Amino acid sequence: MYQERPAALPGAVLWTATSDGTPSRVLPDGCLDLLWSSRSGLLVAGPDRTAQLSVSAPGERWQGLRLQPGVGPAVFGVPADELRDAIVPLEALWGRAAREAAERLGG
């Protein structure tokens, strides 16, 4: 089940989903998302040029913060085109700071 609501950050959206194992289509929206997966940890999803098929294990939980177009590069410290059509671990961008954030969020 997928749900979303406005975030405290203007223009951003918080969303949650729990997979039932059925693939779902993610449409391109020009946004960068900070993702947390119960299976994969903290990730960053770049802007996609085409729709993507997302496949998750049954019961896998997701939480995301979708940033409006143009905001993500300032938050993640890389140009959006370097993340285009990609999902990368936050640690690849932030190093130790990402590990510390994951530890705080895990608590």
Side-chain angles (χ1 to χ4, degrees):
M1 178 155 90
Y2 176 88
Q3 296 179 323
E4 64 179 47
R5 62 185 169 89
L9 181 65
V13 174
L14 290 169
W15 60 267
T16 60
T18 301
S19 175
D20 64 3
T22 304
S24 61
R25 190 162 308 278
V26 179
L27 301 176
D29 58 10
C31 298
L32 277 79
D33 287 60
L34 174 61
L35 309 172
W36 174 82
S37 156
S38 60
R39 185 172 158 195
S40 303
L42 287 172
L43 307 165
V44 176
D48 293 321
R49 291 180 283 186
T50 60
Q52 302 294 318
L53 196 58
S54 175
V55 180
S56 297
E60 185 171 1
R61 293 174 293 124
W62 289 88
Q63 295 185 1
L65 174 65
R66 182 180 314 117
L67 302 169
Q68 68 185 71
V71 174
V75 172
F76 299 118
V78 297
D81 65 333
E82 289 185 21
L83 298 170
R84 184 175 41 227
D85 299 322
I87 297 176
V88 300
L90 181 61
E91 190 171 332
L93 304 176
W94 285 4
R96 181 180 172 170
R99 288 189 300 276
E100 292 171 354
E103 289 170 8
R104 283 194 303 270
L105 290 171

